C-alpha cells in the first residue's frame, strides 16, 4: 500500500475477542515483538479495511497498562494515535492506568489524563522493573500514570443548539506537599 497524500479516512474500533489473530498479525507485520495475550483489549485503526494502527490495554497484576501503540509509518501524523487513545479511554473509564512511553510522547498521552510519575512509589513494582529493564535499550523512556477522573465541569453552553460541552477533570496532588486538589486549584 502506498503512502496516502492527503489525510486518509480512518475508522477506529475495538476488536472483538475472536480477532486476536488479526491483532497478532498486525504486530508481527510491523516488527512489534512484545508478547501479547488474547485477553488484552485491542483498539485498531483501519484505512480501506486494512489495519494501519493498533494499541492495547493489558490487565497485568491487577493494573491496567496501555501498551503497544503502533501506527504504520506512512500513516503517522494524521491523528490516528489520538483517535485510538480516545477510543481506548472509554474502556479504561475511571480506572487508573499506566504506560511507559518515549519521553517525547508525554504531551500525546496527557490528552487522556496521563501524567509523568513523580515518584517510583506510585508505580507497581512489576512496572518499575520493566521500566528499568527497557530503559537500558531506550534511555528516553518515562513512566506515566493516568489518574481516575472523578467529575465533569461545564466547558460551554450553547443555547441555540441546546448542547452542553463538558470538560473531564482529573484529581491530582501537589508535587510538594501531596495535598489533593482539583484541576484549576493551586496549592498554597
Amino acid at each position: 500500500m502506498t503512502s496516502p497524500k492527503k489525510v486518509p479516512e480512518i475508522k477506529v474500533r475495538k476488536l472483538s475477542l475472536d480477532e486476536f489473530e488479526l491483532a497478532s498479525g498486525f504486530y508481527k507485520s510491523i516488527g512489534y515483538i512484545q508478547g501479547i495475550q488474547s485477553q488484552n483489549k485491542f483498539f485498531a485503526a483501519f484505512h480501506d479495511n486494512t489495519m494501519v494502527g493498533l494499541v492495547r490495554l493489558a490487565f497485568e497484576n491487577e493494573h491496567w497498562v496501555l501498551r503497544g501503540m503502533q501506527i504504520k509509518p506512512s500513516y503517522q501524523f494524521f491523528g490516528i494515535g489520538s483517535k485510538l487513545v480516545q477510543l481506548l479511554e472509554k474502556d479504561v473509564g475511571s480506572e487508573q492506568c499506566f504506560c511507559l512511553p518515549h519521553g517525547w510522547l508525554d504531551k500525546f498521552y496527557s490528552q487522556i489524563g496521563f501524567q509523568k510519575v513523580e515518584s517510583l512509589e506510585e508505580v507497581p513494582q512489576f512496572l518499575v522493573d520493566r521500566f528499568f529493564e527497557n530503559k537500558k535499550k531506550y534511555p528516553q523512556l518515562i513512566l506515566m500514570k493516568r489518574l481516575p477522573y472523578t467529575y465533569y465541569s461545564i466547558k460551554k453552553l450553547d443555547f441555540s443548539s441546546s448542547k452542553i460541552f463538558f470538560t473531564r477533570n482529573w484529581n491530582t496532588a501537589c508535587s510538594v506537599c501531596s495535598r489533593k486538589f482539583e484541576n484549576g486549584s493551586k496549592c498554597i
Side-chain angles (χ1 to χ4, degrees), residues 94-138:
S94 63
E95 298 294 323
Q96 180 174 270
C97 186
F98 295 89
C99 68
L100 284 74
H102 296 289
W104 63 83
L105 293 170
D106 64 333
K107 289 192 184 344
F108 172 77
Y109 288 107
S110 71
Q111 71 182 308
I112 62 166
F114 279 94
Q115 300 172 353
K116 287 182 189 176
V117 169
E118 299 290 326
S119 166
L120 293 178
E121 293 172 2
E122 301 175 52
V123 182
Q125 188 60 48
F126 79 96
L127 283 175
V128 171
D129 295 344
R130 184 181 299 163
F131 172 71
F132 283 114
E133 181 61 32
N134 288 328
K135 202 158 174 65
K136 293 173 189 173
K137 186 173 181 180
Y138 305 105

Side-chain angles (χ1 to χ4, degrees), residues 154-158 162-166:
I154 295 175
K155 180 178 181 180
K156 177 181 158 189
L157 293 172
D158 183 350
S162 301
K163 291 184 180 177
I164 301 174
F165 298 89
F166 292 95

Side-chain angles (χ1 to χ4, degrees), residues 28-113:
K28 286 178 187 171
S29 76
I30 58 169
Y32 181 79
I33 58 170
Q34 300 297 316
I36 63 173
Q37 305 296 318
S38 60
Q39 65 268 25
N40 292 165
K41 296 179 181 184
F42 296 93
F43 304 85
F46 295 88
H47 177 235
D48 293 336
N49 295 318
T50 299
M51 190 181 296
V52 297
L54 187 64
V55 65
R56 65 190 173 104
L57 262 180
F59 195 65
E60 302 175 8
N61 298 306
E62 306 299 315
H63 297 279
W64 286 109
V65 183
L66 185 155
R67 301 193 66 185
M69 171 63 81
Q70 299 290 321
I71 308 295
K72 283 189 174 184
S74 60
Y75 285 87
Q76 293 175 358
F77 305 105
F78 289 116
I80 297 169
S82 291
K83 288 180 180 182
L84 286 172
V85 294
Q86 288 163 8
L87 178 64
L88 171 145
E89 178 190 25
K90 294 174 185 172
D91 250 62
V92 175
S94 63
E95 298 294 323
Q96 180 174 270
C97 186
F98 295 89
C99 68
L100 284 74
H102 296 289
W104 63 83
L105 293 170
D106 64 333
K107 289 192 184 344
F108 172 77
Y109 288 107
S110 71
Q111 71 182 308
I112 62 166

